[in-house]
Amino acid sequence: MKKLLLTVLFTALMAQAAFAAYPEKNLQGYIMWGAGGAMDNVARAITPMAGKELGKTVIMQNKTGATGAIATTFVNNLPADGYTLLFGAENPNLYKVTGLAKIDYADFDPVLLMMANVGVVVVPKDSPYKTFKDLIEAAKSGKTVKMGSTGPGGLPFVATTMIEKVHGVKFPQIQFDGEGPAVTAIMGKHIDAVAVGLLSCANFINAGNVRALAVISPERVPAVKQVPAITEFYAKEYKPYLPWGAFFGVFVKKGTPKEEAYDTLQKAYLKAYNDPKFDEFAKTMGGVKLGLTGDAARKYINQNQSVSAWLLYDAGGAKESPEKFGIPRPAHK
């Protein structure tokens, strides 16, 4: 018995020593979207700086497919030891209601939410719609306003559905393969308007190639500070849905040892987040820095899921009701 107790004690001490040395080896990072996209750019901008703080390299790999579900499932199937990171956007919030996967961000702990990709409603530069209110009034009057989309679950679809629900209007949605082609269609006047992520068109807005009517945000965004917030037109109507938009974060599987690994990762990524180089990157990209960790990050994720899942379900784009998974409907205040 004495020998057994000594063995158990020795094993515990060895495990404690191993965690105290975290990280002992390089880490693996899996990006759920492809090379060159917004998620990829954000992850690769911040991670080398975090790796420098960790004293190890985070080996980055793009693992695409199934709207990010391939990477999410892959990381979830690996040990929760802090050596495997998931770089993800908002997409897992809809996996359960769309039937893509049985997991979502409830199965992960957010190390840091770095940046938001705020939605913005844009029209051709010489559009008759000078303001967001002009667009809504036209739709209410029965005028056909063709809106761009990237299909159910995408930011343009969910944002348009939000606008439709708030104002009791309906837009014909013309589907494109991505936000880039939708913005190109705006410049070619093939559609009347589109709600896209600011990261895909901030440069076009500032260059005067398109006209931005409103950012889907409770306040203006520094990258396009000349563009009104949607709440400047309809504050009460949009309050239950905001903040909302795409976001980019780094996550670990739930169960990752907190003091031994999670806290170390969080400290490293926060230091990288506050580096002036990342500030400049965010400004250039047109993204909104978040810097959310812990309960604040979880609250932000849950708010996004509540809004997106119910809007998608009400629009007929979800296979399952959010209620089945305990996702609350946005509270109207």
Side-chain angles (χ1 to χ4, degrees), residues 23-245:
E24 291 185 295
K25 58 184 180 180
N26 290 335
L27 290 72
Q28 302 292 323
Y30 295 94
I31 306 167
M32 64 169 59
W33 288 100
M39 178 72 259
D40 184 67
N41 288 333
V42 173
R44 293 183 186 276
I46 195 171
T47 296
M49 294 184 285
K52 185 176 180 180
E53 178 69 12
L54 290 168
K56 298 293 179 182
T57 299
V58 181
I59 301 168
M60 309 288 281
Q61 301 178 56
N62 297 92
K63 201 169 188 65
T64 62
T67 320
I70 298 296
T72 306
T73 302
F74 179 80
V75 174
N76 189 62
N77 287 336
L78 294 174
D81 57 7
Y83 285 97
T84 307
L85 310 180
L86 173 68
F87 294 89
E90 74 287 349
N91 311 91
N93 276 342
L94 294 175
Y95 287 170
K96 289 180 178 178
V97 297
T98 56
L100 273 175
K102 295 181 179 179
I103 59 174
D104 59 17
Y105 281 132
D107 299 284
F108 293 82
D109 285 324
V111 174
L112 177 68
L113 298 188
M114 293 89 74
M115 191 181 296
N117 187 11
V118 173
V120 59
V121 180
V122 297
V123 296
K125 61 181 180 181
D126 56 355
S127 169
Y129 308 122
K130 307 296 184 184
T131 69
F132 182 70
K133 193 170 185 178
D134 291 342
L135 183 75
I136 297 304
E137 291 303 318
K140 283 185 173 181
S141 71
K143 185 176 178 62
T144 299
V145 179
K146 293 183 290 184
M147 294 281 283
S149 176
T150 55
L155 186 150
F157 180 91
V158 178
T160 300
T161 302
M162 180 192 301
I163 295 168
E164 289 177 334
K165 187 174 181 64
V166 166
H167 299 287
V169 297
K170 194 70 178 175
F171 298 105
Q173 293 197 40
I174 312 302
Q175 189 165 329
F176 296 90
D177 289 336
E179 292 188 4
V183 174
T184 300
I186 280 289
M187 290 189 284
K189 302 180 185 179
H190 302 299
I191 52 177
D192 299 305
V194 67
V196 293
L198 187 57
L199 295 179
S200 68
C201 66
N203 291 336
F204 296 118
I205 293 171
N206 288 326
N209 300 126
V210 298
R211 177 187 297 154
L213 302 184
V215 288
I216 306 174
S217 168
E219 56 191 19
R220 295 195 182 204
V221 176
V224 287
K225 59 184 178 182
Q226 75 275 22
V227 181
I230 204 165
T231 50
E232 293 178 40
F233 301 101
Y234 303 99
K236 182 180 178 182
E237 292 85 348
Y238 282 92
K239 187 178 180 181
Y241 301 101
L242 301 177
W244 175 85

